[in-house]
Amino acid sequence: MKSVPLLLKTLRLPLLVALTAAIVSGCGFQLRGTSPVPAALQPLAVDCPNSLPARFCESVREQLSLGGIELHPIETADYQLKLRNYSQDRRASAITAQASAAEYVLRHTVTIELLTANQIPLIAATDLTASETYRYDETNVLAKQREEEELQQQLGDRLAQQVIFRLVPMTQERIAAALEAHSANTKPSESP
């Protein structure tokens, strides 16, 4: 008889973990950084030229893979995600009484475009931006340089997430509607 309460005590933690996992998955919880990219965008090619930061391109590809998207070369893909015009900007946003920078704004921008294999635009060229402000301290230059480098990496990752979030609404129905609208706009008008 004593073995039944002991068995219940032993199984209590695994049962609690299983119950928690069931509740969390039922409410739509998803790990941060992954996004429900529609399967309609398969296979997808990511056109990320060498002029863009390699870490940013890898972050986009990694997040797409985590979202279950098959990545193919441009020649065999049904859809193409073009990434262009990546820029990084650093500007002083606050000045001290001694006319030195007290605060900086870091801003990263990239242009994205989603096309079909036939070069029909599903998402027109769109600029995405991520920015962050940080305080600068002239007495602690090395630490502030490290902080800025970390913020630059975080901004690149955040911008990659924005790219993924722009793809989320591209369901099969939305793609079909865009293709239909494109064909309606490109049909030659019938003249009498």
Side-chain angles (χ1 to χ4, degrees), residues 3 24 58 101 107 109 111 148 158 190:
S3 64
V24 167
E58 281 307 310
R107 181 172 292 128
T109 305
T111 302
E148 182 178 335
R158 201 179 308 160
E190 296 177 20

Side-chain angles (χ1 to χ4, degrees), residues 10-47:
T10 311
L11 292 176
R12 186 178 349 175
L13 183 60
L15 285 173
L16 183 61
V17 169
L19 181 62
T20 303
I23 291 170
V24 167
S25 65
C27 73
F29 173 81
Q30 194 164 9
L31 287 176
R32 187 169 187 241
T34 62
S35 177
V37 181
L41 291 177
Q42 298 203 61
L44 177 70
V46 178
D47 181 9

